[in-house]
Amino acid sequence: MSEKICVVAGVGPGTGAALSRRFAAGGYRVAMLARDAERLAALEREIAGSRGYAVDVTEAARVKEVVERIGSDLGTPSVLVHNAVSGHFGEFLEVAPEALEQTFRTNVLSLMLLGQAIVPRMLAAGRGAIIVTGNTSAWRGAASFAAFAPSKAAQRILAQAMARSLGPKGIHVAYVVIDAVIDVPWTRQAFASKPDELFARPAGIAETVYHVAHQDRSAWTFEVDLRPFGEKW
Amino acid sequence: MSDNTKAIVVGVGPEAGLGGALCARLAREGLHVFVAGRTPAKVEALVVTIRNAGGRATGVPTDTTIERDVIALFDRAETDGEGVLDLVIYNAGNAAMGQAHDMEASFFEQVWRVGCFGGFLVGREALRRMLPRGRGTVLFTGATASLRGKPNTTAFAAAKAGLRSLAQSMARAYGPQGIHVGHVVVDGGIAGDKIIKGIPQFAQAMGEDGLVSLSGLADAYWYLYKQPKAAWTHELDLRTFKESF
């Protein structure tokens, strides 16, 4: 097996697409996981060597199946980027408990499902990197993120448990805290009055994820924060 | 642009140490490196090595706890040769151990002077020169002790935690003005002379790959320096894959 394979779970028009482009530019064949088959088809046409897999990563059986398919279509992944996210906005008394359940399924459970499906293959190959994208909510429960922040905090802690368990076995697990609004069309609309320097560029985020995924094992990072230079924090 | 760029590395001891490795790496990338360490012989040895490898380096023996020394270092870097000072690394500090009940007050103060106060002096001089240009990078070396105090790290952890907070304040204040301030938490022993030659029994006990490599550290600092402005990291932790943390 000579080809490098990267799985990007959660491919939207912003970070996920930028990650797929970055790894493809680094010589990887990229397996892109998302629910939206049309968006994946468009990215497949754009990114050479990539392949889209329309899947709901919160369903255990589907995850197993898709990891099998990636294995036979492309080969053993050496990198998994977990970028799937389910967001929810609302204060404590307003949010529906089901929203919390949904964010936990997408943001936490799917990391466990994907990790448990892919890690045995990485272990057999003797190497691997799992990079999880998070955000400010992993550190802080703001009032309007009652049904969202708990899931990101849990995701970070799951990643930490994975890092401590898998690191000595040669699998690098890292968590990227994006402490900013990401520059995509809908955020530009929603925060139209924000100046340019307050938006983190997906390509910049992808650059750091790529760097961390390729650190030498004699100096691995677990947690890395990212923000645009203008951000107040 | 590296050809016209200067860097200062403060806290340089043996060639096979973090300060030495950083200087060598920056010089290899084409920067003119100002090597600042307390011991003139060590500084000179490193400068010779870098020059022999085709790099540009100037040695400036400096006591980083003395304000006028630090100012003189920056004045020298600004005026010596072509180019602009764009990167400053504060790497001074020593893991001096001891518990509170039998510690001399002067010992505690000295550990703080090197580990924290010197960082303030260097950071301030860097800002004074970089702010008018609206660009520049200042990186601080942290340690496990930056995040927690253990019985024996009484003075060291206090200094390191202080340095970390200083770096964070600077990052929040000057990031929006174009200055990238980063803090690197080295979570483990470093594979340099200080440990390998200084306490070989410890190095041996850590086993193969048990110490953080100089090249891996240099890669991380260089990456922080090159990060795009639209996505900057403030704090980066680094450890070997087998470190239990």
Side-chain angles (χ1 to χ4, degrees), chain B:
Chain B
M1 94 146 275
S2 296
D3 290 331
N4 216 17
T5 303
K6 297 173 179 175
I8 293 178
V9 180
V10 178
V12 180
E15 284 184 38
L18 178 52
L22 290 169
C23 291
R25 174 65 184 268
L26 299 181
R28 218 164 50 237
E29 298 285 353
L31 278 69
H32 179 177
V33 185
F34 290 80
V35 181
R38 231 177 356 167
T39 316
K42 287 181 185 169
V43 168
E44 202 39 49
L46 181 61
V47 166
V48 168
T49 302
I50 290 174
R51 285 181 181 164
N52 286 343
R56 290 177 299 157
T58 304
V60 190
T62 304
D63 182 338
T64 190
T65 66
I66 296 173
E67 187 175 14
R68 64 172 183 279
D69 263 33
V70 174
I71 293 172
L73 163 67
F74 277 81
D75 285 345
R76 175 84 189 272
E78 285 279 283
T79 53
D80 190 332
E82 295 296 304
V84 171
L85 178 65
D86 198 42
L87 171 62
V88 171
I89 298 177
Y90 191 75
N91 182 57
N94 50 357
M97 297 294 140
Q99 297 194 23
H101 66 279
D102 62 355
M103 184 177 289
E104 295 287 343
S106 60
F107 174 90
F108 182 93
E109 187 175 333
Q110 187 53 28
V111 171
W112 171 82
R113 282 188 171 278
V114 178
C116 183
F117 178 66
F120 160 74
L121 293 175
V122 167
R124 187 189 66 183
E125 292 311 307
L127 287 166
R128 284 178 171 173
R129 288 156 178 85
M130 290 172 173
L131 279 173
R133 296 193 282 266
R135 60 164 294 143
T137 300
V138 185
L139 302 177
F140 293 91
T141 298
T144 319
S146 305
L147 306 176
R148 63 169 184 256
K150 290 206 164 187
N152 261 319
T153 61
T154 305
F156 181 56
K160 280 301 202 188
L163 184 73
R164 177 173 184 253
S165 284
L166 169 80
Q168 213 175 86
S169 294
M170 283 175 54
R172 288 189 155 109
Y174 305 108
Q177 295 177 60
I179 313 298
H180 184 187
V181 180
H183 181 249
V184 179
V185 177
V186 184
D187 186 20
I190 295 174
D193 281 355
K194 206 176 266 181
I195 286 180
I196 292 172
K197 289 191 179 157
I199 36 174
Q201 64 287 4
F202 175 75
Q204 206 143 39
M206 296 307 286
E208 200 190 339
D209 297 324
L211 299 170
V212 190
S213 76
L214 294 173
S215 62
L217 289 166
D219 278 349
Y221 280 76
W222 179 251
Y223 181 71
L224 284 178
Y225 173 56
K226 297 308 279 185
Q227 258 186 335
K229 206 176 173 183
W232 273 350
T233 294
H234 169 62
E235 185 161 274
L236 197 73
D237 55 344
L238 292 168
R239 59 184 64 78
T240 70
F241 76 101
K242 62 196 295 206
E243 181 74 29
S244 66
F245 67 107

Side-chain angles (χ1 to χ4, degrees), chain A residues 163-164 167-168 199-201 204-205 207-208 211 215 217-230 232-233, chain B residues 168 171-172 175-176 178 209 212-213 216-217 223 227-241 245:
Chain A
R164 290 186 159 114
F199 291 89
R201 304 240 192 294
I205 295 166
E207 199 55 46
T208 284
H211 171 78
Q215 281 178 323
R217 71 178 194 169
S218 69
W220 273 352
T221 293
F222 170 68
E223 185 160 304
V224 48
D225 55 338
L226 284 178
R227 57 185 66 77
F229 76 100
K232 294 269 180 291
W233 55 292
Chain B
Q168 213 175 86
R172 288 189 155 109
D209 297 324
V212 190
S213 76
L217 289 166
Y223 181 71
Q227 258 186 335
K229 206 176 173 183
W232 273 350
T233 294
H234 169 62
E235 185 161 274
L236 197 73
D237 55 344
L238 292 168
R239 59 184 64 78
T240 70
F241 76 101
F245 67 107

Side-chain angles (χ1 to χ4, degrees), chain A:
Chain A
M1 195 215 72
S2 57
E3 280 188 313
K4 299 185 289 181
I5 314 299
C6 169
V7 176
V8 180
V11 179
T15 312
L19 287 163
S20 303
R21 288 184 193 109
R22 182 63 188 90
F23 277 86
Y28 281 80
R29 293 205 65 187
V30 182
M32 304 178 293
L33 277 50
R35 278 176 305 180
D36 187 337
E38 253 176 64
R39 183 196 297 144
L40 290 176
L43 282 169
E44 264 184 354
R45 286 191 293 276
E46 180 206 318
I47 303 172
S50 71
R51 192 177 284 213
Y53 296 86
V55 62
D56 180 343
V57 289
T58 67
E59 291 184 39
R62 298 283 87 77
V63 168
K64 262 197 180 153
E65 202 176 85
V66 84
V67 169
E68 293 280 327
R69 266 169 55 212
I70 293 168
S72 50
D73 289 352
L74 305 174
T76 301
S78 58
V79 180
L80 163 65
V81 184
H82 188 272
N83 184 57
V85 63
S86 163
H88 195 83
F89 193 75
E91 295 206 18
F92 178 69
L93 289 174
E94 303 158 357
V95 294
E98 292 74 25
L100 185 70
E101 219 172 319
Q102 181 54 46
T103 59
F104 261 83
R105 288 182 62 81
T106 309
N107 305 339
V108 189
L109 179 68
S110 77
L111 172 59
M112 180 165 272
L113 295 177
L114 281 160
Q116 289 188 342
I118 292 178
V119 165
R121 291 164 184 267
M122 289 178 166
L123 286 174
R127 57 192 284 264
I130 298 173
I131 316 293
V132 184
T133 60
N135 56 35
T136 322
S137 285
W139 287 338
R140 199 165 59 213
S144 17
F145 293 116
F148 175 62
S151 72
K152 294 307 277 187
Q155 182 191 50
R156 174 175 173 267
I157 293 299
L158 173 59
Q160 209 175 82
M162 289 167 68
R164 290 186 159 114
S165 165
L166 303 175
K169 301 185 175 89
I171 314 280
H172 183 192
V173 181
Y175 196 77
V176 180
V177 179
I178 303 160
D179 185 23
V181 177
I182 299 175
D183 193 359
V184 286
W186 79 263
T187 58
R188 281 286 182 168
Q189 268 182 351
F191 304 97
S193 61
K194 263 188 191 262
D196 190 56
E197 63 259 33
L198 289 182
F199 291 89
R201 304 240 192 294
I205 295 166
E207 199 55 46
T208 284
V209 170
Y210 189 85
H211 171 78
V212 171
H214 294 89
Q215 281 178 323
D216 188 86
R217 71 178 194 169
S218 69
W220 273 352
T221 293
F222 170 68
E223 185 160 304
V224 48
D225 55 338
L226 284 178
R227 57 185 66 77
F229 76 100
E231 181 74 22
K232 294 269 180 291
W233 55 292

